[in-house]
Amino acid sequence: MLDTNLQTQLKSYLENLKTPVELVTFTDESPKAKELSQLVNQIVELSPLVTAIDGNLSSSKSEQASNERVPSMLVRSVATGSEMRFAGLPMGHEFTSLVMALLHSGSHPLKLSAEQIEQVRNLDGEFEFETYISLSCQNCPDVVQALNMMAAINPLIKHTMIDGSLFQTEVFDRDIMSVPTVYLNGESFGQGRMSLTDVLNKVDKSAGVRQAKALESKAVYDFLVVGGGPAGAAAAIYAARKGISTGLVADRFGGQVSDTMAIENFISVKATQGPKLVASLEEHVRDYDVDIMNSNKASKVKRNEETGLIEVSLENGAVLKSKAVVLATGARWREMNVPGEHEYRGKGVAYCPHCDGPLFKGKPVAVIGGGNSGIEAAIDLAGLVEHVTVLEFAETLRADEVLVRKANSLTNVTIITNAQTTQVNGDGKRVTSLSYTDRSTDESHELTLAGIFVQIGLMPNSEFLQGDIELTNRGEIIAGARGETSIAGVFAAGDVTNSPFKQIIIAMGSGANAALGGFDYLIRQDV
């Protein structure tokens, strides 16, 4: 199960345990259950503070055992009684979630602020969270780890991670077609990436007001970055290194890179994954005196002509002020903009094949888009689903020839060009088919399928700037050679700008350039 290298790493982590941890397993004779038992046995051998308990044989837990998912594992703190459950085998991206659950159950300090810990501890009521994930989903661990930390702090909070590919009946009964999907006390709570702050803002109704007040009281920054992707991170580092007060406000740190799996064109790093690169980026930014304000979205940016300050309004009502600002809000997946797309988003319409692909195991799906992203998605999905149909609007595919050859070699992949998607169809609960028009003949066709993966490029996150700053007809911020925009003191960088190439390494350079441009602007202002 765990190779020698992984065992060595895990053993060093488990040396941080301060109090005993129990691993209670609920298994049967299935292959996955046997793998779970093997994993637990290996973990127990690595630390004297970890013990294994067979939940099927525990007389004191017999009633509980009959209600447990199989295979599953309960991580229990002997010191506090906190419990975190893993229904399925927590490997892949979720192995980190298991390691953190072990550490936090063993009284290793949580990397949360004192205010956050106190807020979780004081939550009123009982909360039973369930998170449906896939082991290939890079967004899911953030949600699992946030809810697990809440369970470690407050004994009235329980959390279960559920591998959707192993518990298909539940997934079908609850119409789960996108991960992560979170339930609270049996009711739908949310979908997609969520931070601990996001969860607290939903369960603690006064949290958003308190957060807005705290942000409103912050002093004027010399330099404020809006966006936490590669461009924003680079801008923050370059600004902080100048010794000026620097803030970074972002919906989520990492941006779109967090949703990227294989990265093989980042110079000096032969191969890495998005979440790993994001972790390194955040660690680097935190090495400097940068005020990071996560889980906040900007709603307006304007220059106050009386004070000369740039005012950044947030969706929660707070207003941040700075002498110079860099906009690095990045981009998001482009939508098809056809009837049914929004109605069935998360119910068969998906944008991340790595995350949601396992939920469509053995079912027919379509991929919209014949560029590199679309053909890569088709190749990945082909190993999971019954059949993949690729629909490309143009006459020819835009993907690299090596990818096209690979896709054409797969017997369960069909590629259709000159295809204009016209409608997503469903039964009210989930996608059932897709309608498209053959552009060469004007004939209409309907594909019966269970899922649609949209891979047709990017849209800049610039809607909140409409009418206030000069944009291209595609919504990109027009940035000059130094990153300057049409508003004095406001600079821009990365995928949200009119840069012709949207690449991580280009975004980083763009962020550094905009920060230097911003600093040059600051030193030339009258005292």
Side-chain angles (χ1 to χ4, degrees), residues 26 64 67-75 83-88 90 94 97 127-133 140 143-149 151 157-164 167 170 174 180-185:
F26 302 90
Q64 180 191 57
N67 297 323
E68 293 288 344
R69 297 175 176 89
V70 177
S72 67
M73 169 175 56
L74 170 63
V75 182
E83 297 180 347
M84 310 168 204
R85 285 173 168 78
F86 293 88
E94 292 301 341
S97 299
F127 304 86
E128 185 168 338
F129 290 97
E130 299 168 295
T131 304
Y132 289 86
I133 61 94
C140 295
V143 180
V144 171
Q145 290 163 26
L147 294 172
N148 276 350
M149 284 191 288
I157 299 175
K158 308 294 182 188
H159 177 238
T160 305
M161 179 219 82
I162 305 164
D163 182 356
F167 297 91
E170 286 186 45
R174 283 182 160 176
T181 291
V182 180
Y183 275 72
L184 171 58
N185 297 335

Side-chain angles (χ1 to χ4, degrees), residues 120-175:
V120 173
R121 186 174 287 124
N122 291 331
L123 286 175
D124 185 28
E126 295 187 1
F127 304 86
E128 185 168 338
F129 290 97
E130 299 168 295
T131 304
Y132 289 86
I133 61 94
S134 69
L135 297 181
S136 58
C137 168
Q138 61 269 36
N139 292 326
C140 295
D142 285 357
V143 180
V144 171
Q145 290 163 26
L147 294 172
N148 276 350
M149 284 191 288
M150 291 177 65
I153 296 167
N154 189 329
L156 296 179
I157 299 175
K158 308 294 182 188
H159 177 238
T160 305
M161 179 219 82
I162 305 164
D163 182 356
S165 65
L166 281 184
F167 297 91
Q168 287 282 310
T169 301
E170 286 186 45
V171 166
F172 182 83
D173 290 344
R174 283 182 160 176
D175 292 318

Side-chain angles (χ1 to χ4, degrees), residues 24-341:
V24 186
T25 57
F26 302 90
T27 59
D28 53 19
E29 293 302 312
S30 66
K32 285 297 179 184
K34 292 179 180 179
E35 288 183 45
L36 179 62
S37 296
Q38 181 184 354
L39 173 63
V40 169
N41 289 335
Q42 286 185 317
I43 294 172
V44 168
E45 292 175 358
L46 298 176
S47 173
L49 288 177
V50 182
T51 57
I53 297 175
D54 187 341
N56 300 319
L57 302 177
S58 175
S59 58
S60 62
K61 298 289 182 181
S62 58
E63 183 179 346
Q64 180 191 57
S66 65
N67 297 323
E68 293 288 344
R69 297 175 176 89
V70 177
S72 67
M73 169 175 56
L74 170 63
V75 182
R76 179 189 296 146
S77 169
V78 174
T80 67
S82 68
E83 297 180 347
M84 310 168 204
R85 285 173 168 78
F86 293 88
L89 191 63
M91 296 300 290
H93 289 298
E94 292 301 341
F95 183 69
T96 301
S97 299
L98 172 59
V99 174
M100 292 183 67
L102 289 165
L103 292 174
H104 296 153
S105 297
S107 302
H108 186 66
L110 289 84
K111 290 185 177 180
L112 298 175
S113 67
E115 292 78 12
Q116 286 178 312
I117 292 174
E118 193 63 21
Q119 185 179 359
V120 173
R121 186 174 287 124
N122 291 331
L123 286 175
D124 185 28
E126 295 187 1
F127 304 86
E128 185 168 338
F129 290 97
E130 299 168 295
T131 304
Y132 289 86
I133 61 94
S134 69
L135 297 181
S136 58
C137 168
Q138 61 269 36
N139 292 326
C140 295
D142 285 357
V143 180
V144 171
Q145 290 163 26
L147 294 172
N148 276 350
M149 284 191 288
M150 291 177 65
I153 296 167
N154 189 329
L156 296 179
I157 299 175
K158 308 294 182 188
H159 177 238
T160 305
M161 179 219 82
I162 305 164
D163 182 356
S165 65
L166 281 184
F167 297 91
Q168 287 282 310
T169 301
E170 286 186 45
V171 166
F172 182 83
D173 290 344
R174 283 182 160 176
D175 292 318
I176 294 168
M177 307 190 77
S178 177
V179 291
T181 291
V182 180
Y183 275 72
L184 171 58
N185 297 335
E187 300 293 330
S188 178
F189 181 77
Q191 282 186 337
R193 180 191 292 268
M194 284 179 278
S195 67
L196 187 138
T197 300
D198 295 329
V199 175
L200 287 175
N201 284 341
K202 292 188 72 171
V203 298
D204 184 354
K205 299 305 180 183
S206 62
V209 176
R210 291 198 303 272
Q211 183 188 36
K213 286 183 178 180
L215 292 171
E216 190 80 35
S217 65
K218 289 182 178 290
V220 175
Y221 295 98
D222 291 322
F223 196 86
L224 179 65
V225 179
V226 182
I237 290 170
Y238 266 70
R241 285 177 61 87
K242 295 294 185 181
I244 57 179
S245 63
T246 305
L248 185 152
V249 61
D251 181 24
R252 58 167 176 155
F253 201 97
Q256 192 188 2
V257 178
S258 301
D259 304 328
T260 305
M261 285 300 293
I263 298 173
E264 298 178 348
N265 57 354
F266 191 78
I267 310 305
S268 83
V269 179
K270 290 184 178 180
T272 187
Q273 293 182 329
K276 185 177 180 180
L277 179 58
V278 168
S280 297
L281 278 175
E282 185 168 5
E283 183 181 4
H284 195 175
V285 173
R286 290 187 184 278
D287 280 344
Y288 296 91
D289 188 16
V290 177
D291 184 10
I292 299 177
M293 296 161 279
N294 268 323
S295 301
N296 288 288
K297 292 184 71 173
S299 59
K300 190 175 181 63
V301 175
K302 71 174 184 178
R303 178 184 173 86
N304 186 318
E305 294 301 338
E306 293 183 5
T307 63
L309 297 176
I310 310 302
E311 298 178 355
V312 178
S313 300
L314 305 181
E315 287 186 351
N316 61 15
V319 178
L320 301 173
K321 299 180 178 66
S322 182
K323 298 174 184 176
V325 165
V326 166
L327 300 174
T329 48
R332 64 187 184 279
W333 291 116
R334 186 182 297 273
E335 298 180 347
M336 297 181 290
N337 291 319
V338 299
E341 180 178 15

